[in-house]
Amino acid sequence: MSSVRMSEGSVQVQSCTAPLFFRQSEPSSGDARMSVLLLHGIRFSSENWLKIGTLDALAKAGCRAVAIDLPGLGRSKSAEAPAAVGELAPAGFLKEVCEWLSLSPAVVISPSLSGMYSLPFLMLHQDLIRAYVPVAPICTDKFTAEQYQSVKVPALVVYGDQDSQLGELSLSNLSNLANHSVVAMKGAGHPCYLDDPDTWHKALTDFLNTL
């Protein structure tokens, strides 16, 4: 008998033209100790978090986890990305997602492409974020050391030590976060969680247990 309840759904936020698809997992008791929002990279979707067992692992750790398909990707293909009026526009998008899905304050897990959404969200709405888990996200160079230092939420910076694309670059910028720890996954590439799901799940649940 599984102790995890899985479901699927869609949510319509004002900043998107069509509904966003999401997958959700939670303890079957329905009594979650925290909410986790899972984003994804450009070649991926919420399906990855299902396949490698992250949704399952989070629910077993007592969390309610929601993995969305970002606008234009996965099963949210018909949803257009929010118009970027200034660099911080995408922040309002994730704020809406968290409000509609009753996730705040959420632990935000953000690999690769999703940095374009999560970093502005982190800078503008850290009161809605319980913790931040960036996995070699893009756009880290768009913010100053001072902006990172002003973020007080706990952060777990994760990257694969074989990630030549964004590993070192994102680490050097994210190391300015005031309250952060780092996990370098040995032998893993850019989507390091796919290369070694067991190490990823252990690092993630260990971090959540400190919150």
Side-chain angles (χ1 to χ4, degrees):
M1 183 74 185
S2 169
S3 56
V4 170
R5 195 163 61 209
M6 293 272 186
S7 56
E8 295 181 355
S10 62
V11 60
Q12 176 73 65
V13 297
Q14 283 181 318
S15 53
C16 276
T17 50
L20 298 169
F21 174 78
F22 69 85
R23 288 178 164 87
Q24 175 172 277
S25 64
E26 55 194 326
S28 50
S29 64
D31 191 22
R33 62 191 177 113
M34 68 182 85
S35 297
V36 181
L37 175 64
L38 292 141
L39 306 175
H40 62 82
I42 194 162
R43 291 182 292 128
F44 304 116
S45 71
S46 62
E47 189 177 5
N48 292 92
W49 300 123
L50 179 69
K51 279 187 170 168
I52 66 168
T54 305
L55 283 166
D56 191 56
L58 285 168
K60 283 181 174 153
C63 303
R64 175 189 169 211
V66 175
I68 67 167
D69 283 3
L70 289 165
L73 300 167
R75 285 163 69 175
S76 300
K77 273 206 182 9
S78 52
E80 285 175 30
V85 187
E87 289 196 354
L88 294 174
F93 163 69
L94 282 188
K95 178 173 184 279
E96 269 197 286
V97 168
C98 287
E99 284 168 354
W100 278 96
L101 293 170
S102 305
L103 291 171
S104 306
V107 177
V108 178
I109 297 177
S110 178
S112 199
L113 166 93
S114 65
M116 67 181 280
Y117 297 105
S118 68
L119 285 162
F121 182 51
L122 181 71
M123 297 301 168
L124 281 184
H125 301 293
Q126 54 174 311
D127 54 313
L128 301 179
I129 300 179
R130 180 157 182 175
Y132 185 53
V133 185
V135 188
I138 66 168
C139 297
T140 58
D141 51 350
K142 289 193 159 73
F143 302 93
T144 65
E146 292 71 32
Q147 283 174 299
Y148 283 113
Q149 285 153 10
S150 72
V151 173
K152 305 301 182 211
V153 302
L156 177 69
V157 179
V158 182
Y159 72 104
D161 69 358
Q162 301 302 305
D163 178 4
S164 55
Q165 291 170 275
L166 285 161
E168 296 295 329
L169 172 70
S170 63
L171 178 66
S172 65
N173 292 318
L174 295 166
S175 292
N176 290 303
L177 286 164
N179 179 10
H180 79 278
S181 50
V182 177
V183 169
M185 288 177 53
K186 291 191 171 37
H190 183 50
C192 53
Y193 45 89
L194 292 183
D195 291 341
D196 188 351
D198 291 346
T199 299
W200 157 247
H201 292 144
K202 183 173 189 322
L204 183 57
T205 49
D206 285 353
F207 172 65
L208 296 179
N209 288 335
T210 67
L211 301 177

